[in-house]
Amino acid sequence: MAPLLQPGAQLDLTWRARLAEHLGNYRIEVRRSRAAAILSDRVALGAIVSVCALASFALPEREPHPKLYERTVALFDSICGGEKWMPGYVRWELLLLEELGFGLDLEKCAASGSRHDLIYISPKSGRAVSGTAAGHWARHLLPFARCLKGSEASDLRDVVQGLETTGYFLSRRLAPHLGAKPIPEARNRLVELIARDIQSGSP
């Protein structure tokens, strides 16, 4: 069934076994296949593979995450529809962290309580920090990219900044709670692909 079980495929699964502890078997029907539609776009395909790899890496078996599932389907539809999907991908990683108990607090400055001039994120607390409050600590803080704020007006450099921030928390906060395994290589490859587009002058 390898041709059907491709990254990004949406499936109807029926699992059956005599007891819950048994291996059992699945009846599988494909609702929507996506990978074939974007085979010529290496970055889009890389994003779908990265999402699947991170979900497999981080999510516990049999634990439902309906909000994350709905966001994943919407992201895949956006990618396959040729829309501007990269800011949404970064926010998908942000939601993954939140769903697993490592959410960031980005509403107000950790130091002053201000909701304005939020341009940094503390790697220690995961909270936003304003430019005024950062002071000489600014060089130790992570960038608060526009795409993390919900902005769709993000260029590739802003997306890479957002991925730098979510990547920090994926590798430094989430991964140690999953047996200290490194985050999937598919995610690193996606960042490399986007960085290459920046070097080539893509918008």
Side-chain angles (χ1 to χ4, degrees):
M1 300 192 71
L4 302 180
L5 303 180
Q6 295 295 318
Q10 205 166 335
L11 310 173
D12 276 331
L13 303 175
T14 303
W15 178 77
R16 293 182 181 178
R18 193 168 64 85
L19 296 174
E21 295 77 16
H22 289 179
L23 183 61
N25 59 75
Y26 281 102
R27 181 175 61 82
I28 300 174
E29 294 181 10
V30 179
R31 292 179 57 187
R32 183 171 180 186
S33 179
R34 292 183 173 88
I38 54 171
L39 282 175
S40 61
D41 187 335
R42 59 179 186 166
V43 181
L45 184 59
I48 284 185
V49 173
S50 178
V51 166
C52 293
L54 282 171
S56 178
F57 169 76
L59 297 175
E61 281 192 31
R62 305 188 187 189
E63 182 176 293
H65 289 273
K67 182 179 179 181
L68 185 65
Y69 175 79
E70 291 173 6
R71 182 77 66 84
T72 303
V73 171
L75 175 60
F76 283 0
D77 287 344
S78 177
I79 293 172
C80 294
E83 301 171 22
K84 189 173 182 181
W85 54 266
M86 288 189 191
Y89 174 89
V90 180
R91 290 193 294 275
W92 182 90
E93 291 194 346
L94 202 62
L95 179 59
L96 177 66
L97 288 165
E98 179 183 324
E99 288 279 303
L100 294 172
F102 298 92
L104 309 186
D105 182 357
L106 305 179
E107 296 300 317
K108 59 185 179 181
C109 176
S112 66
S114 172
R115 296 180 181 272
H116 304 288
D117 187 33
L118 303 178
I119 59 175
Y120 300 111
I121 297 174
S122 167
K124 186 174 182 179
S125 67
R127 300 181 65 187
V129 180
S130 70
T132 303
H136 66 278
W137 292 102
R139 62 191 179 92
H140 300 289
L141 303 176
L142 298 168
F144 193 164
R146 292 192 305 277
C147 56
L148 292 173
K149 303 175 185 180
S151 172
E152 300 299 329
S154 303
D155 58 19
L156 292 182
R157 295 184 187 280
D158 184 73
V159 167
V160 168
Q161 279 194 336
L163 291 172
E164 176 187 342
T165 297
T166 54
Y168 178 90
F169 290 100
L170 286 170
S171 60
R172 301 293 185 88
R173 297 292 179 85
L174 176 61
H177 287 264
L178 301 173
K181 298 179 294 184
I183 61 175
E185 186 57 32
R187 199 268 182 186
N188 298 328
R189 284 197 299 270
L190 175 61
V191 177
E192 291 172 2
L193 287 171
I194 297 173
R196 286 178 195 170
D197 278 353
I198 292 176
Q199 293 174 356
S200 67
S202 298

